[in-house]
Amino acid sequence: MGYEAMVQMSLDTIDRRITETIRTDELARGANYSLYHFSRVFMQITGFSVQSYITRRKLEYALYDLSRGRRVIDVAMDYGFGTHAGFTKAFKRCFGYPPSLYRLHVTAV
């Protein structure tokens, strides 16, 4: 299996398990590579570290859920963020504004 196929398989696994805790070593083991080699190849192909990609993907899914009117705390817990504050901080770092502001804007439109 080529590197691109291996990374795509990992991206599919991440999307399939998006509400679970996903560890880099599990993805590396599933691809039959060492953690070090897997992480290097993943970064080279995607431009993100594995955990940065997972967090960003979780936040993208959370953004969709918020656009459907779900409560911020419920979305935060569904995607494995331990606290409302932790989710808000990650969301703001990723998108530039807090989830409550996004939710208010979307529900007002």
Side-chain angles (χ1 to χ4, degrees), residues 54-89:
I54 291 169
T55 300
R56 179 159 186 93
R57 213 50 193 133
K58 285 179 178 271
L59 290 168
E60 288 168 350
Y61 274 83
L63 184 71
Y64 175 75
D65 285 354
L66 291 170
S67 75
R68 298 181 53 111
R70 295 204 49 224
R71 292 179 349 151
V72 174
I73 188 67
D74 294 336
V75 172
M77 295 300 120
D78 285 352
Y79 291 101
F81 291 88
T83 65
H84 183 284
F87 174 72
T88 298
K89 183 177 178 180

Side-chain angles (χ1 to χ4, degrees), residues 88-109:
T88 298
K89 183 177 178 180
F91 191 97
K92 187 172 182 180
R93 188 177 318 128
C94 185
F95 299 116
Y97 47 85
S100 56
L101 182 63
Y102 176 78
R103 189 166 174 267
L104 287 174
H105 175 71
V106 169
T107 54
V109 173

